[in-house]
Amino acid sequence: MQKLYFESAWDKTIAPSDREKIGKTFQEQALHLEDGIHFTFLWKAKNHKGELLIAVLIHNCEETTLHIQDAIVTYLERDEKIATSLFSVPCEIAGKTTMPWTFIFSESNQISQAAQYVIQN
């Protein structure tokens, strides 16, 4: 059974309304997940530097712990590629666990290689 986990920095700073939205999205998705690693889009924003912030749920539906290290992630809107960058998530995601995370795409970290993971909006 998939469980929802908040990394400590998220757990301390997340707004109650965002926590509720994440919990609701997790409940809707958890019933339909198949084995593998899946990303569910939550929301997007831009920060003061003009960087694109993409919040997702990372679903590790495998039995083993997930380490995202130097992984190529692409963000798509309506099947159009918006950004591709290299990311590492500094914490591991236990097996059968879903965790919210924000990927920050900036002009300076864009790459053109094929994605290992895709976030679709």
Side-chain angles (χ1 to χ4, degrees), residues 41-77:
F41 175 85
L42 292 169
W43 59 76
K44 73 174 182 175
K46 283 206 173 185
N47 66 15
H48 65 284
K49 297 177 189 176
E51 297 168 321
L52 185 61
L53 302 119
I54 304 298
V56 300
L57 288 177
I58 303 172
H59 306 281
N60 178 8
C61 299
E62 300 292 324
E63 297 290 338
T64 58
T65 299
L66 173 64
H67 302 272
I68 297 177
Q69 186 70 33
D70 296 327
I72 301 167
V73 179
T74 292
Y75 171 61
L76 303 175
E77 284 184 0

Side-chain angles (χ1 to χ4, degrees), residues 105-121:
F105 295 89
S106 68
E107 289 296 322
S108 65
N109 72 359
Q110 293 299 297
I111 60 174
S112 60
Q113 296 165 300
Q116 293 166 275
Y117 301 108
V118 176
I119 302 166
Q120 183 126 21
N121 178 10

